[in-house]
Amino acid sequence: MKSILGIFTLFLMSQFSIAQETSRRIIHGQAVNDSIKVENVIVFNTSAKLGTVTKLNGNFEIKARENDTLVFSSLFFKSKKVVISKEDISSSVFLVNLTAFTNQLMEVVVENKSKSKEKIKPKIGSTRDIVDTKYFDDNQSSPKNTVMPSNVTENGMDFVRMYKDVMRFLRKKNPKKNDLTSSVTFTESVIKKIKYPFFNSTLKLQDDEIKLFLVYCENDTKVKTILDTKSDFILMDYLIEKNIEFKKITSSENK
């Protein structure tokens, strides 16, 4: 009798899980910025444990429903959390405006990423459609002083310094490689297998750090071997090992 009740309970739980998944629908989104090309931004649906990476012009597709939370992590833009509304679900293109890091980092971005001064326009909609009103501040993306620009967020993380430290380290290890940030094959593979809680809770990475950490991993010679194994456990062990190295490079205590 107990076994029958157990099977029945599992059946109900599986049906509930399937119902939750089917209630989500694919939304078409676009991450935009007024002057800088937006691409290769990680997008997590933390409510559904799903993830994707933006393509050319910041376009992305992800399953979501009302009240789901999307987290955006990028090298060149401040992390952002957006709560999905009913209007976002029904809109043809869901626009998210990302804020670039300070000019100190943007000089590097412009030099590496674009020679054109032409502003990047959203594919559809105007600035009124951008969902800033549904964005809530968090420790990863709120500057202490909204009047004077600062690289240091409320939780004490200086992302610009971290970015430069990691890039400097990678250039020393890969002197013949011109572009250290262009490859996204590894990132896309990781996002499909590894969910947001692993980065946030297990690796203790803040939202701004996730993309930078994966770029650090992408430039490792072991990456191809790790991907060829097709084992989630080996991949997670690898990420834990690389995170120890990453923390040493980015630790402010060593500065």
Side-chain angles (χ1 to χ4, degrees):
M1 184 67 179
K2 288 183 179 179
S3 61
I4 296 175
L5 287 174
I7 293 172
F8 182 69
T9 302
L10 287 173
F11 175 76
L12 288 178
M13 290 177 64
S14 64
Q15 292 300 309
F16 177 73
S17 178
I18 293 171
Q20 278 193 317
E21 181 62 30
T22 53
S23 67
R24 288 189 169 90
R25 53 177 290 187
I26 294 177
I27 62 172
H28 301 273
Q30 185 184 18
V32 298
N33 181 270
D34 291 337
S35 57
I36 304 160
K37 188 175 182 180
V38 177
E39 60 183 350
N40 299 338
V41 175
I42 297 173
V43 185
F44 283 110
N45 183 334
T46 62
S47 306
K49 306 295 190 294
L50 299 172
T52 187
V53 180
T54 63
K55 306 299 183 182
L56 190 66
N57 296 327
N59 297 318
F60 66 92
E61 294 181 353
I62 195 166
K63 281 188 176 181
R65 65 185 177 192
E66 187 179 356
N67 295 323
D68 277 0
T69 299
L70 301 188
V71 173
F72 296 79
S73 178
S74 170
L75 277 182
F76 310 122
F77 303 93
K78 294 180 181 180
S79 63
K80 189 165 192 174
K81 290 183 180 178
V82 178
V83 178
I84 299 297
S85 69
K86 187 180 296 185
E87 290 74 19
D88 299 329
I89 299 293
S90 60
S91 63
S92 57
V93 176
F94 166 59
L95 294 178
V96 180
N97 188 26
L98 298 181
T99 303
F101 278 107
T102 59
N103 292 333
Q104 190 178 5
L105 179 57
M106 292 317 305
E107 291 173 2
V108 181
V109 178
V110 172
E111 180 182 350
N112 285 346
K113 289 292 180 182
S114 176
K115 295 181 180 179
S116 172
K117 295 182 179 179
E118 182 180 354
K119 290 188 175 182
I120 305 299
K121 300 294 184 182
K123 180 188 287 187
I124 297 177
S126 65
T127 53
R128 293 181 183 177
D129 300 319
I130 296 174
V131 293
D132 281 343
T133 55
K134 289 175 282 299
Y135 162 61
F136 55 86
D137 289 339
D138 58 16
N139 288 336
Q140 287 76 33
S141 56
S142 301
K144 286 184 179 180
N145 190 332
T146 57
V147 179
M148 298 299 292
S150 171
N151 298 335
V152 183
T153 53
E154 285 184 9
N155 58 2
M157 189 182 75
D158 185 346
F159 181 81
V160 175
R161 177 194 59 76
M162 291 174 57
Y163 172 89
K164 291 184 176 181
D165 288 343
V166 172
M167 291 298 118
R168 189 183 301 113
F169 177 83
L170 292 178
R171 288 190 185 100
K172 286 182 180 179
K173 292 193 67 175
N174 304 276
K176 296 182 180 179
K177 192 171 182 180
N178 294 325
D179 194 343
L180 297 167
T181 64
S182 61
S183 176
V184 293
T185 305
F186 176 74
T187 296
E188 288 179 325
S189 299
V190 171
I191 298 307
K192 289 178 182 178
K193 298 179 179 180
I194 309 299
K195 308 309 178 188
Y196 176 77
F198 180 81
F199 294 100
N200 185 255
S201 300
T202 304
L203 299 184
K204 305 297 182 184
L205 291 170
Q206 298 177 38
D207 294 341
D208 282 329
E209 296 178 274
I210 296 174
K211 178 59 180 176
L212 182 60
F213 169 67
L214 291 177
V215 167
Y216 174 72
C217 295
E218 284 170 4
N219 287 276
D220 185 7
T221 55
K222 296 180 182 178
V223 162
K224 189 178 185 305
T225 304
I226 296 298
L227 291 180
D228 288 344
T229 63
K230 296 181 181 180
S231 168
D232 292 354
F233 294 107
I234 292 178
L235 176 57
M236 285 189 286
D237 284 341
Y238 171 77
L239 293 174
I240 291 172
E241 179 185 335
K242 294 301 291 184
N243 188 48
I244 295 172
E245 299 175 11
F246 180 79
K247 293 294 187 184
K248 288 179 180 178
I249 294 172
T250 59
S251 174
S252 59
E253 294 178 359
N254 296 330
K255 304 304 169 188

